[in-house]
Amino acid sequence: MFDADPSLCFADVPSGSRPNFSAFATQEPSRTNWPLADGVISLPRTVGGDQDDVALEYKRVAEGTHGLLTAVGQSLAYIDKGYNGAVIVIPRSYSSHGHPAEHVVSILDSNEIDGRVGVFDYEDPDKSSPYPFRGRIRCIRPITVAPSAIGKRPSASKPSTQWVHLREGSTTRDVIYCYLKSAILLAGGGSAPPSYGIPEEMVSAVSRIDATADVEEFLGYTSDSSLGSQIWKDFWFKYVATPEVLTPFKRSGSTYVAPAAFTKVLKDDGSGHSQIFEGRANGLKETICTRLNDGVIAEDQAWEEMANGISISSGQNKQGVRSRAHSYREDVDSAVAQLQWIDNSGQPTDEGYRFVSICERFGGPNSSAAVKYFGATLIQTGHYGTFLHYVHRLSEEIFLDDPLAFSKSKGGVSVFDEDSYWEYLRVLQSHMENDLKVLRKVSGRSRPRSRTIFQAELTFLRKYGFIPESRSNRYRLGVGLPINWVRVNEAMQVEL
DNA sequence: GGTTGAGGCGGAGTGTCGTT
DNA sequence: AACGACACTCCGCCTCAACC
């Protein structure tokens, strides 16, 4: 909408001098302060790289007219937080009030509230369309985005995909359960153990790398003592980087071998504990052992490489404990925050406590109760439901138009094969990126395609039975991705 | 005191081994 | 051959400090 009509967001700017920009739907970064906007519309300039952010406050019919005043208050709070504008989006009418939008506008006008707050109203959305609100939203009070009085809002500017960021390997239910246990311990005033038993050799290796570094901060990749960092360190050393995991080698006769250590976190498929830094032919520990056996390095260097990684001139480097802690933390704490199981200060939320108590009462994170609760949270809070809605409606459009879309003719028969599937996913992705603008590829890097499109998303959906698991029916002619709506609906109904 | 640049940091993407 | 699970890389803001 903003793309099509710049006057909606640059109301006071003469049309000739309006900047070129595009509009994206995004969300608040997960670690920001209250109040959280319902959505964010980012307006990056096509030239110059500058960007305005508009907070969105959405009111449902069910919230009733008292929601209108809250909306006004919240939109002002967003401006105060550093947004360049705010829009209030409300129903076109309530049973008790015929023209709510005009009412809100008159409140704004009579209080001389500046042009950065806009008002839009909507008719009942068409839920059968990929664009449920298309043509049903009306602008009542356009906005003029303006530089914020307090400068850029903290960690603004990160347009992001609308659904939760998860990683197949590192974001398992048990990882999240353990992380929440650390959060509950520390946020509840408990304290971390006096020592995590980091091996002496490791402690001295770190001091050789950086004489001033604190061992735990170095190996856990933290740099402050915020609650979030304390929780992270407790989780990392208690459940993942245990003394055994931190040990790079053991001796077997006269040769060095990887010690076959496991973390204390379970894999989602119930096949035991996951491994890190070893278990693959070219794992960090395996590489270190080979170098020890070849006489390239001595034991002291082995410990240093374990801590700091190995840089390889041709090909990928080997991450050491420190850098791996960095990427692992991102996978875990951003997921937990986006699922709204901890708040921005690191305090577990009611839902977070609920997940933990379900794990404890019903047999752990791989129990069916925990799986069900996690799946429901993915669909609802993690917005995977929204993702499926887009997939479904876009597919419907595509296949209604041409039931044989993407299919190949093989011996006179139309077949929807692996290639069709790939093309289909690519079309979905490009719709989401360019038309719906719910996905934004910011990266300018070259991208040889070795992961499949939506690989992480589809893997998780499969894990929870929202799309078929069996390889033989992952896609279907004339349908695309078959979605198990019964399961999705059940997940939608679960009270979180 | 503004400008520039290196490195820290949070975030988000791609790469690849081994199993299925 | 593709996918799941580990693994690694890169982006871009922010900070701090050297430089003009």
Side-chain angles (χ1 to χ4, degrees):
Chain A
M1 209 170 160
F2 285 166
D3 257 350
D5 185 0
S7 70
L8 295 183
C9 49
F10 291 104
D12 290 353
V13 182
S15 56
S17 50
R18 282 176 193 142
N20 286 322
F21 69 101
S22 60
F24 287 93
T26 59
Q27 58 182 6
E28 290 238 45
S30 46
R31 278 184 272 201
T32 44
N33 296 321
W34 190 89
L36 284 181
D38 293 328
V40 177
I41 299 166
S42 292
L43 308 170
R45 303 285 184 278
T46 340
V47 182
D50 215 9
Q51 170 172 311
D52 290 309
D53 290 300
V54 175
L56 186 122
E57 183 62 28
Y58 173 77
K59 290 293 167 198
R60 293 164 218 285
V61 180
E63 288 172 273
T65 44
H66 74 271
L68 299 179
L69 290 176
T70 339
V72 173
Q74 278 168 309
S75 62
L76 292 174
Y78 300 141
I79 300 278
D80 203 47
K81 234 173 126 176
Y83 277 95
N84 308 101
V87 291
I88 303 171
V89 184
I90 56 180
R92 188 147 306 168
S93 66
Y94 292 98
S95 52
S96 60
H97 199 303
H99 304 283
E102 284 81 355
H103 178 58
V104 172
V105 168
S106 76
I107 295 175
L108 291 173
D109 288 344
S110 60
N111 288 284
E112 293 178 359
I113 286 167
D114 69 45
R116 286 178 291 176
V117 179
V119 180
F120 290 67
D121 69 4
Y122 64 89
E123 296 170 42
D124 281 347
D126 172 8
K127 290 189 181 139
S128 67
S129 156
Y131 314 93
F133 288 98
R134 176 176 279 177
R136 289 163 194 254
I137 296 187
R138 192 167 60 159
C139 176
I140 309 296
R141 188 188 208 243
I143 51 177
T144 300
V145 295
S148 154
I150 62 162
K152 261 188 159 340
R153 77 193 157 96
S155 60
S157 73
K158 260 293 144 69
S160 62
T161 303
Q162 287 211 302
W163 39 89
V164 56
H165 165 91
L166 296 174
R167 280 291 165 271
E168 305 97 294
S170 12
T171 341
T172 65
R173 281 184 301 278
D174 195 32
V175 164
I176 288 177
Y177 169 55
C178 291
Y179 184 87
L180 285 169
K181 278 196 292 194
S182 288
I184 288 173
L185 171 74
L186 295 173
S191 44
S195 157
Y196 294 105
I198 298 172
E200 271 314 306
E201 296 91 328
M202 182 57 91
V203 176
S204 36
V206 169
S207 69
R208 286 195 300 275
I209 294 165
D210 181 347
T212 64
D214 174 281
V215 183
E216 288 179 12
E217 297 215 329
F218 185 90
L219 294 176
Y221 203 83
T222 59
S223 57
D224 58 26
S225 56
S226 67
L227 182 58
S229 294
Q230 289 179 49
I231 293 169
W232 166 252
K233 274 199 316 196
D234 190 60
F235 164 79
W236 180 240
F237 292 114
K238 245 185 215 167
Y239 302 104
V240 181
T242 60
E244 302 76 56
V245 166
L246 289 173
T247 304
F249 57 83
K250 70 173 184 196
R251 307 206 56 146
S252 161
S254 60
T255 53
Y256 292 97
V257 295
F262 286 82
T263 63
K264 293 187 175 164
V265 290
L266 295 168
K267 295 194 269 187
D268 274 350
D269 64 2
S271 66
H273 294 90
S274 70
Q275 276 192 300
I276 189 170
F277 305 124
E278 65 175 308
R280 290 156 67 141
N282 64 350
L284 177 62
K285 292 188 193 175
E286 281 81 356
T287 309
I288 288 175
C289 287
T290 308
R291 287 156 69 81
L292 279 170
N293 290 329
D294 293 350
V296 180
I297 53 169
E299 291 192 8
D300 272 359
Q301 281 107 60
W303 285 94
E304 289 162 27
E305 292 188 346
M306 186 68 205
N308 222 11
I310 307 173
S311 55
I312 312 259
S313 46
S314 58
Q316 287 194 322
N317 294 330
K318 298 272 162 235
Q319 280 184 328
V321 175
R322 179 176 163 77
S323 352
R324 194 73 188 91
H326 175 203
S327 17
Y328 208 102
R329 180 176 180 179
E330 289 317 317
D331 292 346
V332 178
D333 72 359
S334 63
V336 175
Q338 284 180 53
L339 294 175
Q340 292 178 31
W341 282 350
I342 59 166
D343 66 21
N344 65 75
S345 65
Q347 295 279 345
T349 61
D350 288 353
E351 291 75 20
Y353 276 105
R354 183 109 195 275
F355 178 64
V356 169
S357 82
I358 287 174
C359 290
E360 276 158 10
R361 287 168 57 204
F362 297 101
N366 289 349
S367 63
S368 57
V371 170
K372 188 172 161 206
Y373 191 75
F374 198 99
T377 303
L378 273 187
I379 289 286
Q380 299 184 36
T381 319
H383 298 300
Y384 269 34
T386 313
F387 173 77
L388 287 175
H389 173 85
Y390 292 140
V391 169
H392 179 63
R393 297 304 177 194
L394 288 170
S395 306
E396 209 172 51
E397 261 193 356
I398 293 169
F399 293 110
L400 217 56
D401 193 47
D402 174 13
L404 299 180
F406 309 111
S407 64
K408 313 270 181 268
S409 176
K410 287 190 180 160
V413 183
S414 293
V415 181
F416 194 90
D417 64 6
E418 206 51 54
D419 284 346
S420 317
Y421 183 50
W422 205 80
E423 275 174 46
Y424 159 74
L425 289 179
R426 199 168 45 188
V427 167
L428 289 187
Q429 186 183 40
S430 108
H431 271 299
M432 290 194 202
E433 187 180 347
N434 302 317
D435 306 335
L436 291 164
K437 313 235 176 203
V438 291
L439 185 76
R440 189 168 171 219
K441 301 259 170 222
V442 268
S443 165
R445 11 210 274 226
S446 67
R447 205 173 296 128
R449 185 109 254 160
S450 56
R451 284 171 66 92
T452 54
I453 294 167
F454 298 133
Q455 182 170 326
E457 285 84 354
L458 295 178
T459 302
F460 274 93
L461 287 167
R462 239 168 248 147
K463 231 185 226 180
Y464 292 92
F466 299 128
I467 57 176
E469 193 162 4
S470 137
R471 283 180 194 217
S472 52
N473 54 8
R474 291 211 163 155
Y475 40 82
R476 207 175 293 158
L477 178 70
V479 175
L481 199 65
I483 298 167
N484 187 338
W485 285 110
V486 176
R487 283 287 187 85
V488 176
N489 257 316
E490 279 167 10
M492 286 288 200
Q493 302 312 318
V494 171
E495 198 166 324
L496 296 178

